[in-house]
Amino acid sequence: MPRTSPAPAPASTPTHCPYCALQCGMNLRAAAGSEAAGGDVVEVVERTDFPVNRGALCGKGRTAPAVLSSRVRLTGPLVRRPATGRLEPATWEEALAKIAEGLGRTQQAYGPDAVGVFGGGGLTNEKAYALGKFARVVLSTSQIDYNGRFCMSSAAAAHQRAFGLDRGLPFPLEDIPRTGCVILVGSNLAETMPPALRYLTELKENGGTLIVVDPRRTRTAEQADLHLAPRPGTDLALALGLLHLVVSQGRTDEAFIQERTAGWDEARAAAMAHWPEHVERVTGVPVPQLRDAVRMFCDAETGMVLTARGPEQQSKGTDTVGAWINLCLATGNAGRPLSGYGCLTGQGNGQGGREHGQKADQLPGYRKLTDPAAREHVAGVWGVDPDSLPGPGRSAYELLDALGGDIKSLLLMGSNPVVSAPRAAHIEERLRSLDFLAVADVVLSETAALADVVLPVTQWAEETGTTTNLEGRVLLRRRAVDPPPGVRTDLEVLHSLAALLGHEKGFPVDPEEVFDELRRASAGGPADYSGISYRRIAEEDGVFWPCPETPAGDERTSGQDRTAGADRSAGEDRTTGQGRTAGAPPAGDDRPAAPHPGTPRLFLDRFATADGRARFVPVAHRPAAEETDAEYPVLLTTGRVVAQYQSGAQTRRVDELNAAAPGPFVELHPRLAQRLGVAEGERLTVVSRRGRAVAPARITDSIRSDTVFMPFHWPGEGRANTLTNPALDPTSRMPEFKVCAVRIERAQD
């Protein structure tokens, strides 16, 4: 019999929001009148005891149950009928058989890598793990990646390069209000993660200072003590200019550099080539503001730099994040309490989704697919020959770009690249060129509408599973309602497809059973979940990885704990990293050691490199892949608005959210509007080298006069990602969403 998660109180079910990486806690309970509706109608109730959001929710979280309605979501499989060319209802047996036949036919004709798999950063850890295993064991294809590549891959690459380990935040959110100064780069928390804004408000209430770096004066930037508005694509030059000033003013932490880092001489030399006046010319940020930023950051006893998609979604995103990490290292603001660099992960499970096998080059536990020991360990858990596992495949955009060419068929789960991918119209053409496309999703997204087979799957409140939020806190979503009768879980889908393709065993449908296998597969890896269980998550409001199964203090795990900089005792010692290893009994005590407590704070003892030292990486500014010229004289940057999420596939189906954000717009400065002769609300055509998008003008002085902004949540004529540039970062393979050259025209009626 399948096991169940810890039973909640019958009146309400504690769970988590389905949207961003905060994974806010909430309770779900039956709404008034739900018995008459069959008992499936639920409402959100505050969950004030959950530490991340303390009861606060944004409009998206509060209205999330609206997407559970059968009015807006898929309730049965669909198959495209050759006679009509339309998607029409089908049985599950027919739909699954068509997928197995389509994938099998492709591989028989063209080989294993002719089938691709594309996942999503919203899938639970269990589903992401099972999808990666399915691709590599059942399909034997290397062609798997996920839309999390479009989220924080540049920050992950820079984190690995500097610290030897990547976790979005190496400290819990609760540390942010207690630091002295925060530099927030390319994030508009007030709209993308509204409940997190309280951490910045509390920072200022505690006497700390806030510096926001953004080409727009957003609602978040309005909270700042200092707002720096660089030209899009110049964040790297800005970070290097600040480090130049730190060095020239003698404000480096030489003791920290000497004791805990390597590579400083080369990084310092690279930064010194970016003198302030040069940086002002490149970025547009005045030298006095650069000096103010250095003064504020260095005067504080502790400091943090937090980045988001702004600096990361660039063709030089890894180096840009690396420059901000260099600033932290040079000032001693890393590997110490209340200090450090962190990335604000975007998607709900963007962190866990890549840790456990969706990413093209990784195995569960954040293991490298090219590491023979990693392959042997995971293959042992899976019961297969290590040599049978395929090698690394293409990154997300490269995989999508290859559709219809080397990749003839695609299985896609939980993503909508027709709206969310760069150069989106081109990706839509690639999807249409496939021999066979199967999509599993909650709603009939723009991508699902192109499929040969569409499978309706359960969503957050209808299934149990874990996610990993931006802090590295592993959380438990609990099933609160039954899905419609025609809907199955993704785990059931993979189980059935595996069986049809000759793998009767190895793909359980019970999420806790899958999680237990994930724990074994991750054991000993950088992202070690082996000591985490559903019971512990429920009892402890989540558990921070790494959390090995063996007790803290055990010699078998002490190396892992030291590498991670594990918290080592209770109370204040846990914060400072001083004292004995957490959970270990005093010397001479023969009591059994307590389980490992998890690791809220990384790197306090040493960094996760071979010698324990963080690595400076010398970087130099280079232009964006596409600069403005006479034909395309304006820069475009893209982002989100508070009432919509990602491609909008779910939030655009919620009436309240649509009323707040009914469609796309083009934000531009009054001087640019005057030069173009454009009035508020006038329809504009934004044209890039890849396509065009049409949306009404929104005139505001909160944006640079050389830049326009468009949100990317909508399909149709306002599809912003039709314009964006797929130029890739050479390390992370992140596309350059955040900057491209465009021209603005009045739209033709």
Side-chain angles (χ1 to χ4, degrees):
M1 293 289 292
R3 291 172 293 169
T4 59
S5 58
S12 64
T13 303
T15 190
H16 296 273
C17 176
Y19 293 116
C20 81
L22 276 182
Q23 288 296 281
C24 292
M26 59 170 63
N27 289 313
L28 295 180
R29 70 181 179 194
S34 64
E35 292 182 4
D40 287 343
V41 181
V42 295
E43 62 184 359
V44 171
V45 183
E46 285 187 358
R47 184 179 168 189
T48 56
D49 61 333
F50 186 65
V52 171
N53 61 307
R54 290 172 269 168
L57 291 168
C58 71
K60 295 186 291 291
R62 184 171 44 77
T63 61
V67 187
L68 299 171
S69 170
S70 296
R71 292 187 305 105
V72 300
R73 52 94 58 86
L74 294 165
T75 57
L78 302 172
V79 169
R80 193 171 301 280
R81 303 297 180 188
T84 65
R86 293 195 296 266
L87 287 170
E88 297 179 7
T91 65
W92 270 97
E93 290 70 25
E94 179 189 9
L96 290 167
K98 281 189 174 295
I99 295 175
E101 192 273 333
L103 301 182
R105 182 179 64 246
T106 296
Q107 292 194 312
Q108 186 174 13
Y110 301 104
D113 278 358
V115 169
V117 177
F118 198 83
L123 300 182
T124 63
N125 288 318
E126 292 81 359
K127 293 190 287 188
Y129 171 84
L131 185 62
K133 180 181 178 182
F134 179 85
R136 295 181 172 105
V137 172
V138 176
L139 298 176
S140 297
T141 181
S142 67
Q143 300 304 304
I144 175 173
D145 211 79
Y146 81 129
N147 63 14
R149 177 80 69 166
F150 300 157
C151 178
M152 57 178 292
S153 58
S154 292
H159 235 142
Q160 290 275 11
R161 198 163 67 177
F163 304 133
L165 181 69
D166 160 50
R167 197 179 80 186
L169 294 179
F171 40 73
L173 284 162
E174 67 185 48
D175 284 1
I176 292 174
R178 299 164 57 202
T179 193
C181 180
V182 169
I183 302 179
L184 182 67
V185 189
S187 171
N188 183 12
L189 281 179
E191 300 208 38
T192 59
M193 296 180 176
L197 190 64
R198 71 192 312 164
Y199 291 101
L200 301 181
T201 302
E202 292 170 7
L203 167 75
K204 296 185 66 176
E205 290 173 350
N206 291 339
T209 53
L210 173 64
I211 302 169
V212 171
V213 179
D214 198 305
R216 305 165 62 222
R217 188 166 182 81
T218 63
R219 289 173 52 199
T220 306
E222 289 175 353
Q223 309 299 313
D225 298 284
L226 176 63
H227 172 217
L228 308 179
R231 177 180 170 88
T234 65
D235 305 87
L236 176 51
L238 177 63
L240 288 163
L242 296 180
L243 183 53
H244 181 288
L245 285 169
V246 167
V247 174
S248 64
Q249 294 177 10
R251 307 207 68 168
T252 55
D253 187 330
E254 294 297 326
F256 178 87
I257 292 170
Q258 179 69 26
E259 295 167 7
R260 300 201 58 189
T261 72
W264 170 232
D265 290 344
E266 296 82 358
R268 177 179 55 197
M272 296 313 287
H274 298 77
W275 61 95
E277 292 75 15
H278 170 67
V279 170
E280 178 179 319
R281 287 194 296 273
V282 171
T283 65
V285 177
V287 171
Q289 289 189 7
L290 299 176
R291 297 187 185 280
D292 286 344
V294 168
R295 173 182 52 78
M296 293 165 65
F297 192 60
C298 293
D299 282 354
E301 291 187 7
T302 55
M304 298 175 179
V305 173
L306 307 177
T307 69
R309 306 302 79 76
E312 298 164 18
Q313 287 181 327
Q314 298 185 29
S315 59
K316 52 183 181 296
T318 302
D319 284 355
T320 301
V321 173
W324 290 105
I325 291 175
N326 286 350
L327 180 67
C328 289
L329 294 175
T331 55
N333 284 302
R336 289 177 170 174
L338 307 181
S339 299
Y341 163 77
C343 166
L344 300 172
T345 310
Q347 295 189 79
N349 198 32
Q351 182 74 47
R354 74 175 181 284
E355 290 169 3
H356 299 300
Q358 285 190 102
K359 195 162 174 277
D361 56 353
Q362 288 180 186
L363 288 169
Y366 224 133
R367 288 181 159 93
K368 293 182 179 179
L369 190 52
T370 54
D371 179 3
R375 294 169 66 88
E376 182 176 2
H377 173 84
V378 174
V381 174
W382 289 350
V384 299
D385 185 340
D387 292 337
S388 71
L389 298 178
R394 294 176 172 92
S395 70
Y397 180 80
E398 292 165 306
L399 189 157
L400 294 172
D401 189 43
L403 300 181
D406 294 341
I407 300 175
K408 306 294 185 181
S409 295
L410 181 70
L411 173 64
L412 187 146
M413 284 186 161
S415 184
N416 189 18
V418 166
V419 178
S420 63
R423 200 184 174 196
H426 170 72
I427 296 305
E428 180 178 345
E429 291 175 0
R430 295 293 85 219
L431 286 160
R432 291 181 183 275
S433 72
L434 285 165
D435 292 350
F436 182 79
L437 172 62
V439 173
D441 210 334
V442 172
V443 298
L444 189 65
S445 69
E446 289 73 23
T447 302
L450 304 179
D452 297 286
V453 180
V454 180
L455 301 179
V457 291
T458 53
Q459 52 181 309
W460 63 291
E462 301 164 345
E463 61 187 11
T464 294
T466 61
T467 62
T468 305
N469 81 345
L470 75 172
E471 308 165 290
R473 187 194 299 255
V474 185
L475 304 167
L476 182 63
R477 289 184 187 166
R478 298 166 175 86
R479 178 169 172 160
V481 298
D482 293 331
V487 174
R488 298 184 183 180
T489 69
D490 294 274
L491 295 179
E492 290 172 323
V493 168
L494 293 172
H495 170 85
S496 298
L497 289 177
L500 289 170
L501 292 167
H503 292 257
E504 296 284 345
K505 297 181 179 180
F507 290 88
V509 300
D510 174 38
E512 191 169 5
E513 187 176 348
V514 177
F515 188 75
D516 284 346
E517 183 181 311
L518 180 158
R519 293 169 60 195
R520 297 195 303 274
S522 74
D528 191 333
Y529 282 33
S530 60
I532 304 175
S533 65
Y534 277 23
R535 178 189 60 78
R536 283 195 63 183
I537 296 171
E539 292 175 353
E540 300 173 29
D541 282 329
V543 181
F544 290 84
W545 72 261
C547 181
E549 185 173 25
T550 46
D554 190 309
E555 290 180 358
R556 289 170 294 174
T557 64
S558 59
Q560 171 71 30
D561 294 343
R562 289 195 304 268
T563 297
D567 295 331
R568 297 180 298 172
S569 67
E572 287 304 308
D573 288 347
R574 173 171 287 189
T575 299
T576 61
Q578 297 174 349
R580 63 181 176 85
T581 302
D589 193 327
D590 59 0
R591 290 176 297 172
H596 193 286
T599 315
R601 297 170 182 87
L602 300 170
F603 313 137
L604 295 182
D605 295 323
R606 71 195 305 270
F607 296 97
T609 56
D611 59 5
R613 292 174 174 266
R615 300 288 189 270
F616 282 98
V617 177
V619 293
H621 175 69
R622 57 186 185 272
E626 185 175 81
E627 292 280 85
T628 57
D629 57 21
E631 187 176 4
Y632 300 97
V634 178
L635 292 172
L636 168 71
T637 191
T638 61
R640 287 170 47 191
V641 296
V642 66
Q644 300 289 349
Y645 179 72
Q646 301 300 84
S647 75
Q650 294 176 351
T651 51
R652 283 187 275 113
R653 288 166 167 81
V654 179
D655 292 341
E656 181 179 330
L657 300 179
N658 273 337
F665 56 87
V666 182
E667 186 178 278
L668 70 165
H669 192 275
R671 286 200 295 272
L672 179 57
Q674 184 179 27
R675 189 161 72 244
L676 297 170
V678 170
E680 176 74 20
E682 182 175 351
R683 280 163 51 85
L684 300 178
T685 299
V686 184
V687 185
S688 78
R689 290 178 173 86
R690 290 153 295 281
R692 58 183 57 225
V694 180
R698 181 175 294 183
I699 300 173
T700 173
D701 62 3
S702 63
I703 190 169
R704 291 175 56 97
S705 61
D706 58 1
T707 301
V708 296
F709 166 83
M710 290 187 72
F712 63 86
H713 310 289
W714 291 273
E717 68 174 9
R719 181 170 50 169
N721 275 329
T722 297
L723 307 166
T724 49
N725 191 351
L728 301 180
D729 180 288
T731 303
S732 68
R733 316 308 288 170
M734 167 73 85
E736 191 153 64
F737 285 99
K738 286 302 179 186
V739 55
C740 70
V742 298
R743 67 173 181 267
I744 314 297
E745 302 172 348
R746 284 175 155 163
Q748 299 296 316
D749 291 336

